[in-house]
Amino acid sequence: MSYKQIKWMILFIPTITVGIWEYVRHQFLLPYISMDLGNWLTPVLVYLVSVTLLNRLFQMLEKIQQELQAERAAKVALEAREHLAKELHDGIAQSVFLLSVKVDRLEFTSDQAKYDQDIFQIRKTVHEVNRYARQAIANLRYAAASETMVPQRETLDKKVKQIAEEVLVPIEVEWSIPDELLSPKEKVELLASIREAVVNIQKHAQATRGWIKGERLASHSGWIVVIKDNGIGFKEDPYQLKDSYGLLILQERAKEMNWAFRISTENNYTIVELQHMG
């Protein structure tokens, strides 16, 4: 029996039952059943039909609902696996293949400058593979939560604070960007960018303190995130540094997401800024 048929039966069975009962009562049972007794027997009859036939129909309806939910969950899992396969192929597999080619080239390189350049490219590719792996995992988490309509347990605020706690440098977090302002993909990319900036503070800045501030812009659909530290800063133009692959990846990610990206040293503070105008 189909879902639609069950719904119509649930609607019509009580009505038809009462109609038949009233017709039989008035045509054949009036000499035997008084009007008051008949009025009392009507709801009793409806109740008996409800706890027998209708109850079974409701059970069938619930079973169909459970099957639909199971089918929907299986579809989400399948889409997640397909998404993971695409991420692995487009990001990790291609990068690992590129690594193998570059490593093979190193065996036949005698030019020291070329050797150093290839080593830098290898390090950059390894860094990108790590980024792809983290992004694939995070994408699957956000996709599963959005498809099944299950509220996420951790907000962006909590995730940013977790990132700040991953390093030894004390980092203060001030976050007021609402989660619904960003799409799942934007959340993944923003968290990856913040993690990259925080790791740079730990590895290169020689800082004793750091700050992460995220706030909504006056336009209501835009936001800005500022990562600041009191480290040594940049002695050269940060946009011209060729050996800072973490910074290069930050720029590339911001460009892909159409975010404004800025890095500077102001008043003995190094500032990384990501902004989306909405």
Side-chain angles (χ1 to χ4, degrees), residues 206-223:
Q206 301 179 21
T208 58
R209 290 188 66 188
W211 297 264
I212 299 174
K213 184 176 181 179
E215 58 183 347
R216 192 173 193 169
L217 297 179
S219 62
H220 298 293
S221 60
W223 48 262

Side-chain angles (χ1 to χ4, degrees), residues 51 69 79 85 87 118 147 168 186 204 239 260-261 268:
V51 298
Q69 291 178 358
E79 290 177 351
E87 291 281 351
D118 286 343
E147 290 290 341
L168 299 177
E186 288 176 326
H204 306 297
Y239 296 98
F261 174 79
N268 297 323

